[in-house]
Amino acid sequence: MRIRGITVRVPPLLFAVTVFFAAVCAMMYGSTKDLSYLYLGAPLCVILICVPLAMNYMTEKQLAEQLPAMRVRAKFSRARQISPAMVGTPVIVEGKILKVTGLLMGKPSYLLLDSTGQIVVRRFALPEPLVGVGAAVEVVGTVARKITNGDAVYVNAVSIKPIKKFREDGSKESGEKPSVGDEKIHIKRLH
């Protein structure tokens, strides 16, 4: 659903719970003919859908307003370069999606692979457009630290969009994805 140019979605699990609640109210009214099930059930079903939609709209609107400024400040980074010292820093990361979780709750988490390694990308709402496993994407977001494990970091995404070409470095576009084998490896010999 689009509201004033912003795409908002009801998480599938919330939609299923609302439909279940509406069915229970309808069955209770059907068996008892008590109108209180309709008077209370119908507004509650509307609230169950409208409140998350309103919150999603406000969040997406705020992110859309922040994206241009964040894109200007963001530094292009590879997965291996992202560290706990970068927490709070805006970054741009490109890679291929290996795994997607959390779609039922509307809070997807992506495992992103680039030429240097893997990084977890999280978003608190479904992105526009939806992207799945195997998609090449550009992520604009900030580096955040996991609460349970202070050393582990992830990218809190503001924008996830599909791309056709990967960058070779932070400034120019390239038609090919650089591979790990192209990097020079320095081996230090100890005698």
Side-chain angles (χ1 to χ4, degrees):
M1 169 188 311
R2 289 186 73 79
I3 301 173
R4 296 182 185 172
I6 302 213
T7 302
V8 292
R9 294 185 179 93
V10 176
L13 190 60
L14 176 64
F15 184 74
V17 167
T18 306
V19 169
F20 176 75
F21 181 71
V24 167
C25 288
M27 288 190 307
M28 292 303 293
Y29 170 73
S31 65
T32 64
K33 302 295 183 205
D34 184 5
L35 288 177
S36 65
Y37 290 109
L38 294 181
Y39 293 142
L40 293 174
L44 286 175
C45 287
V46 170
I47 289 171
L48 276 173
I49 293 294
C50 289
V51 168
L53 278 178
M55 291 176 60
N56 192 342
Y57 169 76
M58 289 185 292
T59 303
E60 291 295 329
K61 182 179 177 188
Q62 184 179 15
L63 289 177
E65 291 169 355
Q66 290 177 354
L67 183 60
M70 183 175 280
R71 187 176 284 283
V72 169
R73 293 182 310 141
K75 179 179 115 179
F76 181 75
S77 300
R78 298 282 183 201
R80 181 177 46 173
Q81 296 172 327
I82 297 174
S83 67
M86 295 177 67
V87 170
T89 305
V91 294
I92 297 175
V93 182
E94 293 179 349
K96 182 178 177 181
I97 297 176
L98 293 180
K99 183 179 177 182
V100 180
T101 57
L103 290 176
L104 275 179
M105 292 299 294
K107 301 192 182 312
S109 180
Y110 302 95
L111 181 60
L112 200 70
L113 172 72
D114 71 3
S115 61
T116 63
Q118 300 175 355
I119 187 82
V120 173
V121 174
R122 293 185 179 166
R123 193 160 196 280
F124 51 86
L126 296 171
E128 173 66 27
L130 289 174
V131 290
V133 174
V137 293
E138 176 192 65
V139 176
V140 179
T142 57
V143 178
R145 185 182 314 243
K146 290 185 181 179
I147 295 172
T148 56
N149 183 356
D151 292 338
V153 293
Y154 64 94
V155 176
N156 190 10
V158 172
S159 167
I160 300 174
K161 68 176 189 173
I163 57 173
K164 293 181 181 176
K165 297 179 182 179
F166 289 110
R167 296 182 196 196
E168 189 173 308
D169 61 21
S171 60
K172 59 182 179 178
E173 297 289 325
S174 171
E176 297 180 15
K177 180 178 172 183
S179 66
V180 175
D182 293 342
E183 294 180 0
K184 292 184 179 180
I185 299 174
H186 299 285
I187 300 174
K188 186 176 183 180
R189 292 186 181 188
L190 300 173
H191 288 96

